[in-house]
Short mmCIF file of all heavy atoms in Angstrom, two decimals:
data_model
loop_
_atom_site.label_atom_id
_atom_site.label_comp_id
_atom_site.label_asym_id
_atom_site.label_seq_id
_atom_site.Cartn_x
_atom_site.Cartn_y
_atom_site.Cartn_z
N MET P 1 105.56 102.49 164.52
CA MET P 1 104.33 103.22 164.89
C MET P 1 103.10 102.40 164.56
O MET P 1 103.08 101.69 163.55
CB MET P 1 104.25 104.55 164.12
CG MET P 1 105.23 105.59 164.64
SD MET P 1 104.92 107.19 163.92
CE MET P 1 105.40 106.90 162.23
N PRO P 2 102.11 102.47 165.40
CA PRO P 2 100.89 101.69 165.15
C PRO P 2 99.98 102.37 164.14
O PRO P 2 100.06 103.58 163.90
CB PRO P 2 100.21 101.70 166.53
CG PRO P 2 100.68 102.96 167.17
CD PRO P 2 102.05 103.23 166.63
N VAL P 3 99.12 101.57 163.54
CA VAL P 3 98.15 102.10 162.60
C VAL P 3 96.84 102.40 163.36
O VAL P 3 96.36 101.57 164.13
CB VAL P 3 97.84 101.09 161.48
CG1 VAL P 3 96.74 101.61 160.57
CG2 VAL P 3 99.09 100.80 160.69
N TYR P 4 96.34 103.58 163.15
CA TYR P 4 95.07 103.94 163.78
C TYR P 4 94.06 104.31 162.71
O TYR P 4 94.42 104.73 161.61
CB TYR P 4 95.25 105.14 164.72
CG TYR P 4 95.99 104.78 165.98
CD1 TYR P 4 97.28 105.22 166.18
CD2 TYR P 4 95.37 104.00 166.95
CE1 TYR P 4 97.95 104.89 167.36
CE2 TYR P 4 96.04 103.67 168.13
CZ TYR P 4 97.34 104.11 168.31
OH TYR P 4 97.99 103.79 169.46
N GLU P 5 92.80 104.20 163.06
CA GLU P 5 91.75 104.63 162.15
C GLU P 5 91.19 105.95 162.62
O GLU P 5 91.00 106.18 163.81
CB GLU P 5 90.63 103.59 162.12
CG GLU P 5 91.03 102.35 161.35
CD GLU P 5 89.88 101.40 161.13
OE1 GLU P 5 88.94 101.41 161.95
OE2 GLU P 5 89.90 100.65 160.16
N PHE P 6 90.93 106.80 161.64
CA PHE P 6 90.36 108.11 161.95
C PHE P 6 89.09 108.27 161.14
O PHE P 6 89.04 107.96 159.96
CB PHE P 6 91.35 109.20 161.55
CG PHE P 6 92.61 109.20 162.38
CD1 PHE P 6 93.65 108.37 162.03
CD2 PHE P 6 92.71 109.99 163.50
CE1 PHE P 6 94.81 108.33 162.79
CE2 PHE P 6 93.86 109.97 164.26
CZ PHE P 6 94.91 109.14 163.92
N GLU P 7 88.06 108.78 161.83
CA GLU P 7 86.80 109.02 161.14
C GLU P 7 86.53 110.50 161.05
O GLU P 7 86.56 111.23 162.06
CB GLU P 7 85.66 108.33 161.90
CG GLU P 7 84.33 108.49 161.15
CD GLU P 7 83.19 107.77 161.86
OE1 GLU P 7 83.32 107.42 163.04
OE2 GLU P 7 82.17 107.58 161.21
N CYS P 8 86.29 110.94 159.84
CA CYS P 8 86.02 112.37 159.59
C CYS P 8 84.71 112.76 160.24
O CYS P 8 83.71 112.06 160.14
CB CYS P 8 85.96 112.62 158.10
SG CYS P 8 85.53 114.32 157.73
N GLN P 9 84.73 113.89 160.93
CA GLN P 9 83.51 114.36 161.60
C GLN P 9 82.60 115.07 160.64
O GLN P 9 81.47 115.39 160.96
CB GLN P 9 83.89 115.29 162.74
CG GLN P 9 84.73 114.55 163.79
CD GLN P 9 85.01 115.40 165.00
OE1 GLN P 9 84.93 116.63 164.95
NE2 GLN P 9 85.34 114.77 166.09
N SER P 10 83.10 115.32 159.45
CA SER P 10 82.29 116.03 158.47
C SER P 10 81.65 115.09 157.45
O SER P 10 80.44 115.03 157.29
CB SER P 10 83.14 117.06 157.75
OG SER P 10 82.40 117.73 156.77
N CYS P 11 82.49 114.28 156.76
CA CYS P 11 81.96 113.42 155.70
C CYS P 11 81.90 111.96 156.08
O CYS P 11 81.37 111.14 155.34
CB CYS P 11 82.80 113.62 154.43
SG CYS P 11 84.45 112.89 154.53
N GLY P 12 82.48 111.59 157.23
CA GLY P 12 82.40 110.20 157.67
C GLY P 12 83.47 109.30 157.08
O GLY P 12 83.46 108.10 157.32
N GLN P 13 84.35 109.84 156.30
CA GLN P 13 85.43 109.06 155.69
C GLN P 13 86.30 108.45 156.78
O GLN P 13 86.71 109.14 157.71
CB GLN P 13 86.27 110.01 154.82
CG GLN P 13 87.54 109.40 154.28
CD GLN P 13 87.31 108.46 153.10
OE1 GLN P 13 86.28 108.50 152.46
NE2 GLN P 13 88.26 107.62 152.83
N VAL P 14 86.56 107.16 156.66
CA VAL P 14 87.47 106.49 157.60
C VAL P 14 88.81 106.27 156.93
O VAL P 14 88.90 105.73 155.84
CB VAL P 14 86.87 105.15 158.08
CG1 VAL P 14 87.88 104.40 158.95
CG2 VAL P 14 85.59 105.38 158.83
N THR P 15 89.87 106.73 157.60
CA THR P 15 91.21 106.68 157.05
C THR P 15 92.13 105.98 158.01
O THR P 15 92.08 106.21 159.21
CB THR P 15 91.74 108.11 156.83
OG1 THR P 15 90.75 108.87 156.15
CG2 THR P 15 93.03 108.11 156.02
N GLU P 16 92.96 105.08 157.48
CA GLU P 16 93.98 104.46 158.31
C GLU P 16 95.27 105.23 158.17
O GLU P 16 95.70 105.54 157.06
CB GLU P 16 94.19 103.01 157.89
CG GLU P 16 93.09 102.10 158.34
CD GLU P 16 93.40 100.64 158.02
OE1 GLU P 16 94.46 100.36 157.46
OE2 GLU P 16 92.56 99.80 158.34
N GLU P 17 95.87 105.55 159.29
CA GLU P 17 97.09 106.33 159.27
C GLU P 17 98.11 105.78 160.25
O GLU P 17 97.76 105.34 161.34
CB GLU P 17 96.82 107.80 159.64
CG GLU P 17 96.22 108.59 158.51
CD GLU P 17 97.29 109.11 157.55
OE1 GLU P 17 98.45 109.25 157.98
OE2 GLU P 17 96.97 109.40 156.40
N LEU P 18 99.36 105.83 159.86
CA LEU P 18 100.43 105.52 160.79
C LEU P 18 100.78 106.81 161.54
O LEU P 18 101.30 107.74 160.93
CB LEU P 18 101.67 105.07 160.00
CG LEU P 18 101.78 103.60 159.66
CD1 LEU P 18 102.93 103.39 158.68
CD2 LEU P 18 102.01 102.76 160.88
N VAL P 19 100.44 106.83 162.78
CA VAL P 19 100.68 108.07 163.53
C VAL P 19 101.23 107.74 164.92
O VAL P 19 101.17 106.60 165.37
CB VAL P 19 99.39 108.90 163.70
CG1 VAL P 19 98.89 109.41 162.37
CG2 VAL P 19 98.32 108.09 164.41
N ARG P 20 101.71 108.74 165.55
CA ARG P 20 102.15 108.56 166.94
C ARG P 20 100.98 108.24 167.84
O ARG P 20 99.85 108.63 167.57
CB ARG P 20 102.82 109.86 167.43
CG ARG P 20 104.17 110.11 166.82
CD ARG P 20 104.62 111.53 167.11
NE ARG P 20 104.34 111.86 168.48
CZ ARG P 20 105.13 112.61 169.27
NH1 ARG P 20 106.25 113.07 168.76
NH2 ARG P 20 104.82 112.89 170.49
N MET P 21 101.27 107.53 168.92
CA MET P 21 100.22 107.11 169.83
C MET P 21 99.38 108.25 170.38
O MET P 21 98.20 108.09 170.67
CB MET P 21 100.84 106.35 171.02
CG MET P 21 100.82 104.86 170.83
SD MET P 21 101.58 104.05 172.22
CE MET P 21 100.27 104.20 173.44
N ASP P 22 100.03 109.40 170.56
CA ASP P 22 99.30 110.51 171.19
C ASP P 22 98.58 111.39 170.18
O ASP P 22 98.06 112.42 170.53
CB ASP P 22 100.25 111.34 172.08
CG ASP P 22 101.43 111.89 171.28
OD1 ASP P 22 101.53 111.59 170.05
OD2 ASP P 22 102.23 112.59 171.85
N THR P 23 98.58 110.98 168.93
CA THR P 23 97.86 111.75 167.92
C THR P 23 96.36 111.51 168.08
O THR P 23 95.91 110.39 168.06
CB THR P 23 98.28 111.34 166.50
OG1 THR P 23 99.68 111.55 166.39
CG2 THR P 23 97.56 112.16 165.46
N LYS P 24 95.61 112.58 168.25
CA LYS P 24 94.18 112.44 168.51
C LYS P 24 93.34 112.68 167.27
O LYS P 24 92.21 112.22 167.21
CB LYS P 24 93.75 113.37 169.62
CG LYS P 24 94.37 112.99 170.96
CD LYS P 24 93.63 113.67 172.11
CE LYS P 24 94.13 113.15 173.45
NZ LYS P 24 95.53 113.43 173.68
N SER P 25 93.87 113.41 166.33
CA SER P 25 93.09 113.67 165.13
C SER P 25 94.01 113.99 163.96
O SER P 25 95.16 114.39 164.16
CB SER P 25 92.12 114.84 165.37
OG SER P 25 92.82 116.03 165.62
N ILE P 26 93.49 113.81 162.78
CA ILE P 26 94.22 114.15 161.56
C ILE P 26 93.30 114.96 160.65
O ILE P 26 92.12 115.14 160.97
CB ILE P 26 94.70 112.89 160.79
CG1 ILE P 26 93.51 112.04 160.37
CG2 ILE P 26 95.69 112.10 161.64
CD1 ILE P 26 93.89 110.94 159.38
N LYS P 27 93.85 115.38 159.54
CA LYS P 27 93.02 116.08 158.57
C LYS P 27 92.45 115.06 157.58
O LYS P 27 93.20 114.22 157.06
CB LYS P 27 93.90 117.10 157.83
CG LYS P 27 93.11 118.22 157.22
CD LYS P 27 94.01 119.40 156.97
CE LYS P 27 94.27 119.56 155.49
NZ LYS P 27 95.09 120.72 155.17
N CYS P 28 91.17 115.14 157.35
CA CYS P 28 90.53 114.21 156.41
C CYS P 28 91.11 114.43 155.01
O CYS P 28 91.17 115.54 154.51
CB CYS P 28 89.01 114.48 156.40
SG CYS P 28 88.15 113.52 155.14
N PRO P 29 91.54 113.34 154.35
CA PRO P 29 92.11 113.48 153.00
C PRO P 29 91.06 113.79 151.95
O PRO P 29 91.38 114.18 150.83
CB PRO P 29 92.73 112.09 152.74
CG PRO P 29 91.95 111.17 153.63
CD PRO P 29 91.57 111.97 154.85
N LYS P 30 89.81 113.62 152.32
CA LYS P 30 88.74 113.79 151.36
C LYS P 30 88.19 115.24 151.36
O LYS P 30 88.03 115.86 150.32
CB LYS P 30 87.60 112.82 151.70
CG LYS P 30 86.69 112.51 150.55
CD LYS P 30 85.80 111.34 150.97
CE LYS P 30 84.57 111.25 150.09
NZ LYS P 30 83.66 110.23 150.60
N CYS P 31 87.96 115.75 152.58
CA CYS P 31 87.34 117.07 152.65
C CYS P 31 88.12 118.04 153.52
O CYS P 31 87.72 119.18 153.68
CB CYS P 31 85.90 116.94 153.16
SG CYS P 31 85.81 116.54 154.91
N ALA P 32 89.25 117.56 154.11
CA ALA P 32 90.13 118.42 154.89
C ALA P 32 89.54 118.87 156.22
O ALA P 32 90.10 119.72 156.90
CB ALA P 32 90.57 119.63 154.09
N ALA P 33 88.42 118.25 156.61
CA ALA P 33 87.89 118.53 157.94
C ALA P 33 88.65 117.70 158.97
O ALA P 33 89.50 116.88 158.61
CB ALA P 33 86.41 118.22 157.98
N LYS P 34 88.32 117.88 160.24
CA LYS P 34 88.99 117.15 161.29
C LYS P 34 88.47 115.72 161.37
O LYS P 34 87.27 115.49 161.38
CB LYS P 34 88.75 117.87 162.62
CG LYS P 34 89.50 117.27 163.75
CD LYS P 34 89.28 118.10 165.00
CE LYS P 34 89.59 117.30 166.24
NZ LYS P 34 89.12 118.00 167.47
N ALA P 35 89.41 114.77 161.40
CA ALA P 35 89.04 113.37 161.55
C ALA P 35 89.58 112.88 162.89
O ALA P 35 90.77 113.02 163.17
CB ALA P 35 89.62 112.54 160.41
N SER P 36 88.73 112.31 163.72
CA SER P 36 89.12 111.88 165.05
C SER P 36 89.47 110.42 165.08
O SER P 36 88.92 109.59 164.37
CB SER P 36 87.97 112.14 166.03
OG SER P 36 87.70 113.51 166.08
N LYS P 37 90.39 110.08 165.96
CA LYS P 37 90.83 108.69 166.10
C LYS P 37 89.68 107.82 166.62
O LYS P 37 88.96 108.19 167.53
CB LYS P 37 92.01 108.64 167.08
CG LYS P 37 92.57 107.25 167.23
CD LYS P 37 94.01 107.27 167.70
CE LYS P 37 94.16 107.74 169.10
NZ LYS P 37 95.56 107.75 169.54
N ILE P 38 89.52 106.71 165.98
CA ILE P 38 88.53 105.74 166.48
C ILE P 38 89.27 104.46 166.85
O ILE P 38 90.29 104.12 166.27
CB ILE P 38 87.42 105.45 165.45
CG1 ILE P 38 88.02 104.98 164.13
CG2 ILE P 38 86.58 106.71 165.21
CD1 ILE P 38 86.95 104.58 163.13
N ILE P 39 88.75 103.77 167.82
CA ILE P 39 89.35 102.51 168.24
C ILE P 39 88.76 101.42 167.37
O ILE P 39 87.57 101.25 167.27
CB ILE P 39 89.02 102.23 169.71
CG1 ILE P 39 89.20 103.47 170.56
CG2 ILE P 39 89.85 101.07 170.21
CD1 ILE P 39 90.62 103.84 170.86
N SER P 40 89.63 100.66 166.73
CA SER P 40 89.16 99.68 165.77
C SER P 40 89.35 98.25 166.24
O SER P 40 89.97 97.99 167.27
CB SER P 40 89.89 99.86 164.44
OG SER P 40 91.27 99.69 164.63
N LEU P 41 88.81 97.33 165.46
CA LEU P 41 88.95 95.90 165.66
C LEU P 41 88.57 95.44 167.07
O LEU P 41 87.47 95.70 167.50
CB LEU P 41 90.39 95.49 165.32
CG LEU P 41 90.81 95.92 163.90
CD1 LEU P 41 92.27 95.58 163.66
CD2 LEU P 41 89.94 95.27 162.85
N CYS P 42 89.46 94.77 167.76
CA CYS P 42 89.10 94.11 169.01
C CYS P 42 88.59 95.10 170.04
O CYS P 42 87.78 94.76 170.90
CB CYS P 42 90.30 93.35 169.57
SG CYS P 42 91.76 94.39 169.80
N ALA P 43 89.04 96.33 169.96
CA ALA P 43 88.62 97.32 170.95
C ALA P 43 87.13 97.64 170.84
O ALA P 43 86.56 98.24 171.72
CB ALA P 43 89.43 98.59 170.79
N PHE P 44 86.53 97.22 169.73
CA PHE P 44 85.11 97.52 169.57
C PHE P 44 84.24 96.72 170.54
O PHE P 44 83.04 96.94 170.65
CB PHE P 44 84.66 97.27 168.14
CG PHE P 44 84.63 98.54 167.34
CD1 PHE P 44 85.64 98.84 166.45
CD2 PHE P 44 83.59 99.45 167.53
CE1 PHE P 44 85.62 100.01 165.74
CE2 PHE P 44 83.56 100.64 166.82
CZ PHE P 44 84.60 100.94 165.94
N ASP P 45 84.84 95.76 171.22
CA ASP P 45 84.12 95.07 172.29
C ASP P 45 83.68 96.02 173.38
O ASP P 45 82.77 95.75 174.16
CB ASP P 45 85.02 93.98 172.89
CG ASP P 45 85.18 92.80 171.95
OD1 ASP P 45 84.34 92.66 171.02
OD2 ASP P 45 86.10 92.03 172.14
N LEU P 46 84.33 97.17 173.41
CA LEU P 46 84.00 98.15 174.44
C LEU P 46 82.79 99.00 174.07
O LEU P 46 82.39 99.87 174.80
CB LEU P 46 85.19 99.09 174.67
CG LEU P 46 86.44 98.40 175.24
CD1 LEU P 46 87.59 99.39 175.22
CD2 LEU P 46 86.19 97.93 176.64
N LYS P 47 82.21 98.74 172.91
CA LYS P 47 81.07 99.48 172.43
C LYS P 47 80.00 99.59 173.52
O LYS P 47 79.67 98.61 174.17
CB LYS P 47 80.48 98.73 171.24
CG LYS P 47 79.67 99.58 170.31
CD LYS P 47 79.58 98.78 169.03
CE LYS P 47 78.49 99.17 168.11
NZ LYS P 47 78.50 98.30 166.94
N GLY P 48 79.48 100.77 173.71
CA GLY P 48 78.52 100.96 174.77
C GLY P 48 79.14 101.50 176.02
O GLY P 48 78.47 102.00 176.90
N GLY P 49 80.47 101.44 176.08
CA GLY P 49 81.18 101.98 177.23
C GLY P 49 81.31 103.49 177.15
O GLY P 49 80.83 104.12 176.24
N GLY P 50 82.04 104.01 178.10
CA GLY P 50 82.13 105.47 178.24
C GLY P 50 82.75 106.15 177.04
O GLY P 50 82.20 107.12 176.56
N TRP P 51 83.89 105.62 176.56
CA TRP P 51 84.57 106.32 175.46
C TRP P 51 83.70 106.38 174.23
O TRP P 51 83.70 107.35 173.51
CB TRP P 51 85.92 105.67 175.15
CG TRP P 51 85.80 104.36 174.44
CD1 TRP P 51 85.76 103.12 175.02
CD2 TRP P 51 85.67 104.16 173.03
NE1 TRP P 51 85.62 102.17 174.04
CE2 TRP P 51 85.57 102.78 172.83
CE3 TRP P 51 85.62 105.04 171.94
CZ2 TRP P 51 85.41 102.24 171.54
CZ3 TRP P 51 85.47 104.47 170.67
CH2 TRP P 51 85.38 103.09 170.48
N TYR P 52 82.95 105.32 173.99
CA TYR P 52 82.12 105.30 172.79
C TYR P 52 80.98 106.32 172.90
O TYR P 52 80.72 107.06 171.97
CB TYR P 52 81.53 103.89 172.61
CG TYR P 52 80.80 103.75 171.31
CD1 TYR P 52 81.49 103.50 170.12
CD2 TYR P 52 79.42 103.88 171.26
CE1 TYR P 52 80.82 103.38 168.92
CE2 TYR P 52 78.73 103.75 170.07
CZ TYR P 52 79.44 103.50 168.89
OH TYR P 52 78.77 103.38 167.71
N ALA P 53 80.37 106.36 174.05
CA ALA P 53 79.30 107.32 174.28
C ALA P 53 79.83 108.75 174.13
O ALA P 53 79.20 109.59 173.51
CB ALA P 53 78.70 107.13 175.65
N ASP P 54 81.01 108.97 174.66
CA ASP P 54 81.61 110.31 174.56
C ASP P 54 81.88 110.67 173.11
O ASP P 54 81.58 111.75 172.65
CB ASP P 54 82.92 110.37 175.34
CG ASP P 54 82.68 110.34 176.83
OD1 ASP P 54 81.51 110.52 177.23
OD2 ASP P 54 83.64 110.13 177.58
N GLY P 55 82.48 109.74 172.38
CA GLY P 55 82.81 109.98 170.99
C GLY P 55 81.57 110.24 170.14
O GLY P 55 81.56 111.11 169.29
N TYR P 56 80.53 109.50 170.44
CA TYR P 56 79.30 109.66 169.69
C TYR P 56 78.68 111.01 169.97
O TYR P 56 78.26 111.71 169.08
CB TYR P 56 78.32 108.54 170.08
CG TYR P 56 77.22 108.34 169.09
CD1 TYR P 56 77.45 107.67 167.90
CD2 TYR P 56 75.96 108.88 169.32
CE1 TYR P 56 76.44 107.48 166.97
CE2 TYR P 56 74.93 108.73 168.41
CZ TYR P 56 75.19 108.00 167.24
OH TYR P 56 74.19 107.87 166.32
N ALA P 57 78.68 111.39 171.24
CA ALA P 57 78.07 112.64 171.63
C ALA P 57 78.81 113.82 171.03
O ALA P 57 78.19 114.81 170.63
CB ALA P 57 78.08 112.76 173.15
N SER P 58 80.12 113.70 170.90
CA SER P 58 80.88 114.82 170.40
C SER P 58 80.69 115.04 168.89
O SER P 58 81.06 116.06 168.37
CB SER P 58 82.38 114.62 170.70
OG SER P 58 82.87 113.54 169.92
N LYS P 59 80.08 114.06 168.24
CA LYS P 59 79.84 114.23 166.80
C LYS P 59 78.68 115.19 166.55
O LYS P 59 78.62 115.85 165.57
CB LYS P 59 79.49 112.89 166.17
CG LYS P 59 80.70 112.07 165.80
CD LYS P 59 80.27 110.87 165.02
CE LYS P 59 81.37 109.85 164.93
NZ LYS P 59 80.86 108.59 164.43
N LYS P 60 77.72 115.19 167.46
CA LYS P 60 76.62 116.12 167.30
C LYS P 60 77.10 117.52 167.62
O LYS P 60 77.51 117.77 168.74
CB LYS P 60 75.48 115.76 168.29
CG LYS P 60 74.96 114.37 168.13
CD LYS P 60 73.92 114.13 169.19
CE LYS P 60 73.54 112.68 169.26
NZ LYS P 60 72.76 112.41 170.48
N ASN P 61 77.10 118.31 166.64
CA ASN P 61 77.59 119.66 166.87
C ASN P 61 77.31 120.52 165.65
O ASN P 61 78.07 120.56 164.75
CB ASN P 61 79.09 119.63 167.17
CG ASN P 61 79.51 120.88 167.89
OD1 ASN P 61 78.76 121.82 167.99
ND2 ASN P 61 80.76 120.89 168.37
ZN1 ZN U 101 85.97 114.35 155.42
#
């Protein structure tokens, strides 16, 4: 299984987890809020693209 990074939508904690590819979110180990999968490392070249804008927008809530 691949390692993915998840960023908590509440406290901003970034956690690396071994999860299935289709896992979209996990529970934050720090505050137990929802942490969403973020694309890390090389994929950050896509910054400014659609997925990033979407992810950023969904944080405001
Ligand atoms: Zn948290």
Side-chain angles (χ1 to χ4, degrees):
M1 286 190 291
V3 176
Y4 288 108
E5 287 188 333
F6 294 85
E7 183 178 16
C8 176
Q9 298 185 340
S10 178
C11 72
Q13 171 78 19
V14 174
T15 311
E16 284 185 0
E17 281 278 336
L18 274 170
V19 294
R20 287 167 43 142
M21 264 179 75
D22 58 358
T23 303
K24 293 197 173 62
S25 64
I26 61 168
K27 202 159 108 177
C28 174
K30 202 168 161 187
C31 72
K34 185 176 161 191
S36 297
K37 184 156 69 180
I38 56 175
I39 316 284
S40 60
L41 305 176
C42 55
F44 263 102
D45 287 342
L46 295 172
K47 203 162 161 181
W51 74 266
Y52 187 81
D54 288 348
Y56 198 78
S58 69
K59 276 187 195 169
K60 302 177 190 168
N61 201 350

